[in-house]
Structure formats: C-alpha cells, structure tokens
Amino acid sequence: MLKAKENLIVHQDGLVSGQHVRLRPTKLCITLLLLSLAIWIGAVNYQVNVAYAVCFWVLGLIGVAALITKRQLLGLNVNILFSDEVFAGEHADVRFKLNAGKRLRVVWWRGEYAKQIDENQPNQFTIWQCATLSGSLKEQEWQWAIPITQRGYFPTDLFIQLATSAPFGLFQAECRVQWQSNAVAFAAPLPHHDFGVAAQSDDTQIAQYAGVHGDDIAYLKNHQKSASLQHVAWKVYAKRGELMDKVFDEPPPAMHSEKISYLDYPLGTPMEKLASLLTYRVLQADKTGTPYTLELPNLTLTPQNGLREKSLNALALM
C-alpha cells in the first residue's frame, strides 16, 4: 500500500520536497499505456522488432514525463504572510508568494478551506490561478482572500493546492500546503450608544481650578456685580470711565481616562456580543483620541503604547 504524501506545513516560508508531491496519470497517459500494451501484444504475436522499439519509446516518454512533471514542483519556495488587521465578517487579504529559482515552471494554485474538499461546495475553495515562473518572473505574488467568520485565531484548515501537468500533460503533480498562522481576527464592532455611564471628569478636581489663574490677561469683559473688585481693570476705568473685569488664562482641567468596562452591560450578555460591543467603543475612543482604560473579567489595560492593538487582541481572544 502506497504511503500518503505529507502536506507541506508552512508558518511563513516552506520548500516543496519529494515527500510533498503526488503524481496522478492523466487520461492521455492511460491512453498511451493502453496503446503500448496493444503494441507489445502485436510485437509478441508477429515478432515485429519495430513494434518493440515503438513500445519502449512510448514507455520511456511516459517515464521521462513523470520525472519532468514532478520537477515542476520540487524546490518551489512558498511564502505566506498576513500583516494587516481583519475583523470577523470580512476577508483577510493574505500575501501568497511563489519563488521558482532559475527553473521554468508553470503552476496552478487555489485556496482551500477544508481538509476534505467537496467539489460541489464552491465555498470550500477559490478558483484556479495560473503562475508562469521563469527568468525575471521567477517570483510572483497574489492576494489570497480568506473569509473570516468569527473572532479569534485564524482557522486551522487553511490550505493552498499546487498543481501542474506541464510540460506534456501525461501526469498531474500536486502538493498541498497547509498554512498554520497565529494571526488573530478581531471581533466585529457592533455600533451602540446604550452602555453604562462613561467616566466623567472629576468635578472636584475641576472646581479647584476655579479662581486659579496666571499672570496673563486673556480678555476684558463687562463688570459683573458679583465679581470681585480685585479683577476690575482700574486703568481702563481711569481712561474710559467703564468698569471692566479682567479675565485671566486658566489651566485646562486634567483629561481623565474613559473606562470601557464589561460591567457597563447587563449580566449574561453573550460573550460574542460583548466582545463586539467593547470593540466598537475601543475603536471610537481610538478614533477620537480619547484616553481609555479597558476592563475585562480577568484583565485591565490602562493607557499605554500600543493600547489599541492590545485591546483588540484581548477582545478577540476573550
């Protein structure tokens, strides 16, 4: 019993070797084999030397075709990389690259999303695409669009099927590449405004600045009877005869961090929905530049460098 060929497991880069390549005869190859058998039978019955020569020539062609077709995939360098961000419900645009070295190659590829492919289920694979690699075009790159249906780590059943029947079409060589990635898909943001009361500025802290001012006058305004006489611009009164109050520059109130917490939502909120709700608020806070603290059941993230990415990753894996 023939041993099944291994999948080429790739985290980012991988090299196709003999243990990854499978050969299948095509209909043309089977036809030639039957023709060779018929010629051999005729040669045996009629003792025709030319028939023997033709038979061996056809069998030799089939053997050489098998080796050359297999070499189309051997030594092929596969590179798969995803460095962008993607949310559940979107497509991840993964960079897929083939490097052929110095050898001329004609290879077809498609993405697959299941261990066992049902050709009647078009959502399990992409269309076949052709790559002609040689000379200055020894390397080509494509975008592999992977549908992301849920938050968290990328699916484990992500494959790229490589195939070729070049140059004679007598055999089809195949190699299945399995991409194992630690990339994370973020939760889909769910717009809403009915969450708990967000953290407000500290009124006590703001009040302590009332009446505190610097030495620079911002502007003058008409005198208010309730205002202190210390703030009256007496020089202006002496020149114009009008009572004007001096308004000084005041230091702005300290900016406080908004608290984005899972406690802002009813107990029993489904985890998927909760992750989407919090993701929306994190994106909104990042968009407006508002400092925020993210509070999760077993993790709290305070304002820091890279808070957006850390928060989205924490919500994706929550």
Side-chain angles (χ1 to χ4, degrees), residues 18-37:
Q19 61 184 347
H20 306 127
V21 180
R22 297 172 290 275
L23 273 179
R24 290 193 299 109
T26 63
K27 291 181 179 179
L28 176 59
C29 179
I30 294 174
T31 301
L32 287 180
L33 286 173
L34 293 176
L35 177 62
S36 299
L37 179 60

Side-chain angles (χ1 to χ4, degrees), residues 181-299:
S181 171
N182 58 358
V184 173
F186 302 143
L190 182 60
H192 66 293
H193 302 284
D194 54 343
F195 48 85
V197 179
Q200 302 292 335
S201 299
D202 189 344
D203 294 335
T204 304
Q205 191 170 5
I206 294 175
Q208 74 179 359
Y209 289 106
V212 177
H213 53 77
D215 295 330
D216 296 330
I217 299 175
Y219 59 91
L220 298 175
K221 68 177 182 179
N222 293 328
H223 176 66
Q224 304 292 327
K225 292 183 179 180
S226 59
S228 173
L229 294 178
Q230 294 179 353
H231 293 171
V232 174
W234 294 110
K235 292 183 180 180
V236 176
Y237 176 74
K239 293 180 179 180
R240 304 180 187 174
E242 299 178 0
L243 282 176
M244 305 291 290
D245 290 338
K246 294 180 287 185
V247 180
F248 298 88
D249 285 330
E250 295 183 359
M255 183 176 290
H256 292 265
S257 173
E258 178 186 1
K259 191 173 185 180
I260 302 176
S261 174
Y262 72 101
L263 297 174
D264 294 335
Y265 303 93
L267 187 64
T269 302
M271 194 62 68
E272 292 297 326
K273 182 178 180 181
L274 183 61
S276 294
L277 294 170
L278 293 173
T279 296
Y280 173 76
R281 290 177 61 188
V282 166
L283 293 175
Q284 290 300 110
D286 180 76
K287 183 178 179 180
T288 58
T290 305
Y292 61 91
T293 295
L294 177 64
E295 182 183 19
L296 299 178
N298 55 358
L299 176 68

